[in-house]
Amino acid sequence: MRRSPDNHLPRSEAPSWWRDAIFYEADLRWFADSDGDGVGDLDGVRERLGYLELLGVDALWLTSVPMTGAGPSVTDPHEAGAVLESFEFLAEEAHDCDLRLMIDVGVDIAELRQARSREELAETLRFWMERGADGVRITPTASHSAPEESMPAADAVTEISDLIRSTVEEYPERVVAALAEKDRSGGWHLEFHPGMADVTFDAEKLREVISHGLAEAESLGTRPTWMTADHGRPRQVTHHGGGDKGTARARAMALVTLALPGAVRVDSGEELALPDNPLSTRVPMPWEAATVPPLLTEQWARLTVEAQLEDPVSTLSLYREALEARRTHAEGDTVEWYGAPAGCFAFRRGGSLVCAVNTSEEPVPLPPGEVLLSSGPLMQEHLPPDTAAWLV
């Protein structure tokens, strides 16, 4: 296959842990319940750290951490209350498991026109860094409804971004992240690109999204960060049609995303190939059959962690294998595109790993190399439809 010109990523003189990290995002309310009240809590998360170790992720990203009177996000350290002790225990045990811990911090950009709302923000960031947080995602709040005249000027926004980043960088190896579609300031270490979550299962469109994400990260001077789902979007299985076809495509998308340079954010439940459900946008993490809501028991019984953990062909096993292989084979910051049949593409990450995907309706020949991993069964030397493979 012929190669097209390389896409190079920004170089870093001192690579940090987050540059190629796998972030596991979990909504605290739905992840793990330690006291049986039906609502997830920090102690429940602490009890499931072994699962995250087994999965092979690098960082736990907690959203919706409850604060007394402060809503769903960690915003006011003075209202931490009883949560603080549990948070510190969680941070300590996560670090013992070689896991980093990230949290959300809501920032009302309009209010930050005042020097005192900025001092308070810096104080909040320092508070959580000193209690074990390894980084924050900046989540803009309220600014969408604020009068235009109350919004700070562009240079003030840059000043605020600099304040946030410089404050966090007072603590070694801490990171600031944001969602690229909401904040294109270029002031963060990581900016999440939602294109992989929204794109249809089409080779040409996928390649466009990947190329755009790499180019945008380079222009902003940030590290590309990929995601295939979040709480405001359909899960991958549902997004790609549901049923067996949706599952096959979601598994293929996982391999494509995990082969790319940069950090990756995995939404909890994606590693189980969970679909959306008719009850709500989210239901509790299905650890065992007993934790599955009754209306979903028949559909989700085979999707629980318990059911998938020892199944070598489950989606959970695929993620575990892919995350391990990524560490040993997916190196380097270059992406080399290869010529491929219509409805397919292949790229080489760095100097070794090749990822190929078939979005057409017919099997296609595999690229040269030894197959390391595939999202579904192969057909001798051919890649079936709705399937991706890694080769070395």
Side-chain angles (χ1 to χ4, degrees), residues 39-238:
V39 180
D41 49 59
L42 292 169
D43 291 334
V45 175
R46 195 154 50 90
E47 293 172 358
R48 297 294 181 174
L49 290 177
Y51 170 75
L52 300 180
E53 276 191 288
L54 189 69
L55 181 57
V57 300
D58 300 296
L60 169 61
W61 194 312
L62 278 180
T63 65
S64 302
V65 176
M67 305 303 295
T68 304
S73 294
V74 178
T75 54
D76 188 346
H78 300 294
E79 296 183 357
V83 167
L84 182 57
E85 185 177 15
S86 292
F87 181 86
E88 291 177 327
F89 281 143
L90 173 61
E92 181 178 357
E93 293 194 22
H95 294 155
D96 288 342
C97 296
D98 291 326
L99 288 167
R100 309 281 181 154
L101 182 61
M102 300 279 292
I103 58 173
D104 284 355
V105 170
V107 176
D108 190 326
I109 300 297
E111 287 189 358
L112 290 178
R113 295 181 70 189
Q114 303 176 32
R116 183 182 58 80
S117 292
R118 298 187 196 185
E119 292 171 2
E120 290 176 352
L121 173 59
E123 179 186 354
T124 297
L125 293 171
R126 292 188 183 104
F127 182 92
W128 292 110
M129 297 300 102
E130 290 170 2
R131 279 153 185 81
D134 294 289
V136 296
R137 173 173 60 182
I138 299 302
T139 305
T141 62
S143 58
H144 64 279
S145 59
E148 185 175 349
E149 60 271 16
S150 71
M151 297 298 291
D155 59 345
V157 171
T158 300
E159 182 181 339
I160 293 165
S161 298
D162 290 344
L163 168 68
I164 293 170
R165 181 160 177 164
S166 64
T167 301
V168 170
E169 288 181 340
E170 291 174 7
Y171 303 86
E173 292 294 286
R174 303 308 205 272
V175 61
V176 185
L179 186 61
E181 68 177 359
K182 291 184 178 179
D183 181 8
R184 299 180 181 275
S185 68
W188 318 126
H189 300 96
L190 298 173
E191 297 200 19
F192 292 97
H193 299 272
M196 296 293 279
D198 299 331
V199 69
T200 57
F201 195 72
D202 176 271
E204 183 176 352
K205 292 178 180 178
L206 269 171
R207 178 168 171 168
E208 289 176 358
V209 165
I210 293 169
S211 296
H212 176 73
L214 294 172
E216 186 175 66
E218 183 173 14
S219 69
L220 293 174
T222 63
R223 189 69 175 166
T225 305
W226 314 95
M227 65 184 207
T228 57
D230 67 14
H231 296 165
R233 289 175 167 83
R235 290 193 177 277
Q236 281 284 288
V237 171
T238 300

Side-chain angles (χ1 to χ4, degrees), residues 315-376:
T315 302
L316 178 55
S317 293
L318 175 68
Y319 266 83
R320 290 178 63 191
E321 290 182 64
L323 294 181
E324 182 177 354
R326 174 183 164 95
R327 287 186 172 85
T328 55
H329 295 281
E331 299 178 347
D333 284 349
T334 60
V335 170
E336 300 173 284
W337 295 100
Y338 288 76
C344 307
F345 68 67
F347 64 83
R348 183 185 296 275
R349 160 85 182 273
S352 58
L353 182 70
V354 172
C355 178
V357 64
N358 182 5
T359 69
S360 74
E361 297 182 0
E362 300 293 333
V364 298
L366 282 164
E370 176 188 351
V371 175
L372 185 66
L373 189 62
S374 64
S375 63

